[in-house]
Structures are given as structure tokens and as C-alpha cells.
Amino acid sequence: MSRGTGMGSGARVSHGDWSRRRLVGVLAGAALPLSAACGGTPPAETPVKSPGGSARASRRPPAGPRPLYLGTYTSVDGGGKGVGVASYDPVTGRVVGGGLLDVGDPSYLAAHPNGRTLYTVSEREVGAVTAVRLSDRKVLGSRSTGGAAPCHLSVHPGGRWLLSANYTSGSVAVHPIDAEGALGERTDLVTHSGSAPGPGQEGPRAHQIVTGPDGRHVLAVDLGTDTVYSYRLDTAEGTLREVARARTRPGAGPRHLAFHPGGRYAYLANELDDTVAVCAYDPASGRLTVGEARSTGSGADTNYPAQILVTADGSYAYLANRGHNSIARYAVEADGARLRLLDTVPVAGDFPRQIAFSPDGALLFAANQRSGTVSVFRVDARDGGLRLAGEPFASPVAVCALPL
């Protein structure tokens, strides 16, 4: 979620919370933009999973420190100066800072499947995506997304296409990725259509774009139209062809989707009505069917669900609750067809906008936007329980954490 204040070209444009401001009034701490998703961590997918997006089957931690990249906003008071470069201990979860990458308003991050290139949005009125080679931290260039306030991006599992979502414009874009990881000119731009279903939903607001578990379909979650759009991706030309639309109940405000590793179910976090829904997915057609809405565990608190993750073995799901300031833990049952709320764990921060697993699935990172911190939890391999691993790490306007 985020807010804008009439800034000119090059300034960051508001989105998620922007729509809710009319709905529920100014939130406490609204000086910090409550932008869309971040972290560059796509949901658990098969057959290929990007780093940070889903827990791995292996629980053996790698030896030595591992890199951690942190997204922020650079055009707000108290914001960051670019992408934060840090490292973490895969055993203890301790985070240590280590520098910056010079990118403006990098609110969402994603890594190439080969781990050599980092991609980031620039969430501004004139939106862009940027590629950074990680071996020497060289910026490989930026490309226009063709829209305003890009708030999410992901890499197709084949590694040849970058997908991005323009929140304010309600559109999704495709860029080619060359052998060096650099981005080419945009190959497609599709603007969503559909009626605005309720207050705070004045039109299309694309919040996430991910590849389905079959690898052939791309799904775009739109908060403004209460719709998940399914597209067939032409992997030779980099173009999208709409094949289906799935509607939530009016006013749900869908934000983020995560697939069960079995490939037949997905879980949809609904930002505006504070619910999570189990969805059936047909890999052959790319069609999603939205099921019954479930509790986020927030009780009577004002709450805006953010990102949802699923473990690699499909046993547990986790939801970031902004407002309740917790992570909801669910047991995944009936081969993915059912979620059962187990508990909520305090996030030790304020407004957790994004969560991500370490590549081995042993740690869970939460980027807390308003407190400017990143909390790290150990994930119990037996029951999926979360235990805080030390004091949260300070990171200005932390809206994304991408552990590699």
C-alpha cells in the first residue's frame, strides 16, 4: 500500500493505501508511503522457484554469511538511499549491513533464477525496472514499464522474461532478459479493464504478477477490480494473451497470490476486506476459481493483509498482517484445498509489508515498513512454528527483504 501527494514526474506515486485512504481515512504514520508488495520474492511455484520466494525442501543451511537485499523508498522523509546490501547468518539469522545499490524507490526486488542478477522496480510516476549484476554490483540499465508506480515484479522460471505490475496504471508489462541478465525494450503492455467494485477502488490497480506452476500462464492480481487475470505467455515473443478472469467477492481488494507446490491450489491475500481465500487452479487452462474467504487472525483490529507464502513441502502457509502486526500461520490440509489457522505471531515491528523465506526454508524475513526494521524468524521444521531470531535489523522504510 502507499500514498502519493501530487508529486511530479520522477516522484513516487501512491498505491495500495492510497485507495484505502478514501475508504477508512488517514492511517497512523501515513507519512511513510504504504506501497504495494515488495521483496521480489515470488510465491512458491513449481517446477522452478526463485530465491527468497518459497521455502526449499532442504533444511541444511549453507556455510557462511549469505546476501540479503533490502527494498525501500528513497523519495520520502526518512527513507533509504537505494537498495540496501546486507548479509545474514543462515544458522542464527543475524543480519549485518554492507552497503547500497544506487536505484531510486526500489520498493520490490526479484532475483534471476541463476542468482547472478537482481531486478528492482522504481516505484515512481514514470515507472521503470532496473537490472543489477551482483558479482560487481554494476547497474546494467533501466527500462520503462510503460506505466505509473510499478509495485511488483517477478522473473519467469525460464529466466528469459521479466514481468512487472504498474499499480496506478493498472497494467502489466513484459521485458526480455538477455544472456548477461540485462533488460531489453518492453515486448508487451496490457492494461486491465473492469468496473470499480467499491469505495477506494476507482479503477484497475495491478498489485502482483507471477507465473503459474505450469510455467505457461501468468497471473496478475488487481486490487482495484477485485480480479485475478490469467494470461498465456508466448515464451518466444514475450507477449500476453488473456485467457480467464477470476473475481473475488466485491470489495475484497486482492493483493498477493501464492501457489501450493502441488500446482492445483493457490492462496489469495485480500487487502481491503482482511481475508485470505483458497483458490482452485487449472494448469491446463490457467483458470483460477476463488473459494471461500478465511480469517487472517486479526480479530477486531484494523488490518491489511500483505504477502502470503507457502512452504516447499506444502504443509504450512504464512500471511503478513499489517495493522495487527503479526504473521498468521496456517496448516495446509486436504492436499492444498484447505487452510486452517493455527496462530498469529507478533512480528516485532510495525506494518510488515512483505515476508520471504531463506533459500533453505529455515528462516523467515519480515520487512516492517513503519518501524524501519527487518525481523528474522526461525521456522521449526516439525510444526512450522516461528521463533524470533534476535533483535530486528534496522533498515529505513523497510518494504522488502530478499535473502539469497
Side-chain angles (χ1 to χ4, degrees):
M1 332 188 313
S2 56
R3 300 284 191 279
T5 54
M7 295 179 283
S9 177
R12 194 186 63 78
V13 176
S14 60
H15 62 272
D17 274 349
W18 176 89
S19 62
R20 272 188 302 284
R21 175 170 287 177
R22 292 187 179 90
L23 183 64
V24 297
V26 178
L27 300 176
L32 296 182
L34 310 177
S35 168
C38 103
T41 55
E45 300 173 18
T46 53
V48 179
K49 302 179 182 69
S50 299
S54 60
R56 296 297 200 258
S58 171
R59 301 287 296 193
R60 181 179 302 170
R66 299 294 301 164
L68 174 66
Y69 298 95
L70 303 169
T72 185
Y73 288 105
T74 60
S75 61
V76 299
D77 292 341
K81 304 299 183 183
V83 177
V85 179
S87 63
Y88 69 96
D89 186 310
V91 176
T92 67
R94 182 173 181 266
V95 178
V96 178
L100 291 169
L101 301 175
D102 186 15
V103 180
D105 291 315
S107 66
Y108 207 94
L109 314 174
H112 193 280
N114 64 20
R116 298 172 186 167
T117 310
L118 179 74
Y119 301 97
T120 173
V121 300
S122 287
E123 192 179 323
R124 295 180 169 184
E125 184 176 353
V126 180
V129 284
T130 299
V132 181
R133 187 168 61 205
L134 294 179
S135 60
D136 58 2
R137 300 184 184 179
K138 179 181 179 180
V139 175
L140 300 178
S142 300
R143 299 286 184 177
S144 169
T145 60
C151 63
H152 185 271
L153 79 173
S154 62
V155 182
H156 183 267
R160 293 184 54 202
W161 305 103
L162 183 72
L163 312 166
S164 57
N166 294 306
Y167 183 85
T168 303
S169 301
S171 61
V172 293
V174 184
H175 288 81
I177 300 173
D178 69 18
E180 300 301 318
L183 299 172
E185 290 292 344
R186 190 176 61 249
T187 54
D188 207 356
L189 178 68
V190 179
T191 300
H192 293 163
S193 62
S195 59
Q201 295 173 292
E202 288 77 10
R205 295 289 184 264
H207 218 309
Q208 182 196 33
I209 182 166
V210 294
T211 304
D214 53 280
R216 298 183 303 275
H217 295 97
V218 168
L219 290 87
V221 181
D222 195 297
L223 182 148
T225 61
D226 283 341
T227 302
V228 179
Y229 300 80
S230 293
Y231 297 96
R232 184 68 180 257
L233 173 66
D234 185 325
T235 55
E237 301 296 328
T239 55
L240 300 171
R241 177 174 61 87
E242 184 177 323
V243 295
R245 296 185 184 186
R247 295 295 300 270
T248 67
R249 62 186 187 180
R255 177 185 178 94
H256 265 252
L257 183 76
F259 282 97
H260 185 271
R264 295 286 181 174
Y265 296 96
Y267 313 105
L268 186 62
N270 295 314
E271 179 176 316
L272 297 185
D273 73 355
D274 188 21
T275 63
V276 60
V278 179
C279 307
Y281 180 70
D282 177 18
S285 66
R287 183 176 297 276
L288 193 77
T289 302
V290 181
E292 182 181 358
R294 313 295 294 181
S295 171
T296 64
S298 63
D301 290 358
T302 299
N303 187 60
Y304 306 105
Q307 188 152 7
I308 188 165
L309 298 177
V310 186
T311 57
D313 64 2
S315 295
Y316 299 96
Y318 303 88
L319 176 69
N321 281 322
R322 296 167 300 170
H324 191 250
N325 289 339
S326 67
I327 298 174
R329 180 176 62 113
Y330 297 87
V332 180
E333 301 174 335
D335 295 325
R338 186 169 61 242
L339 291 180
R340 178 168 57 89
L341 181 64
L342 296 175
D343 58 18
T344 58
V345 178
V347 78
D350 190 359
F351 230 64
R353 207 187 83 178
Q354 176 263 349
I355 53 178
F357 291 120
S358 59
D360 64 354
L363 299 173
L364 185 149
F365 294 75
N368 304 308
Q369 182 172 354
R370 290 184 181 168
S371 57
T373 57
V374 177
S375 302
V376 185
F377 295 85
R378 294 188 183 91
V379 182
D380 193 304
R382 298 166 299 175
D383 62 7
L386 299 179
R387 183 162 57 92
L388 190 65
E391 291 297 317
F393 176 75
S395 182
V397 190
V399 293
C400 170
L402 177 59
L404 300 182

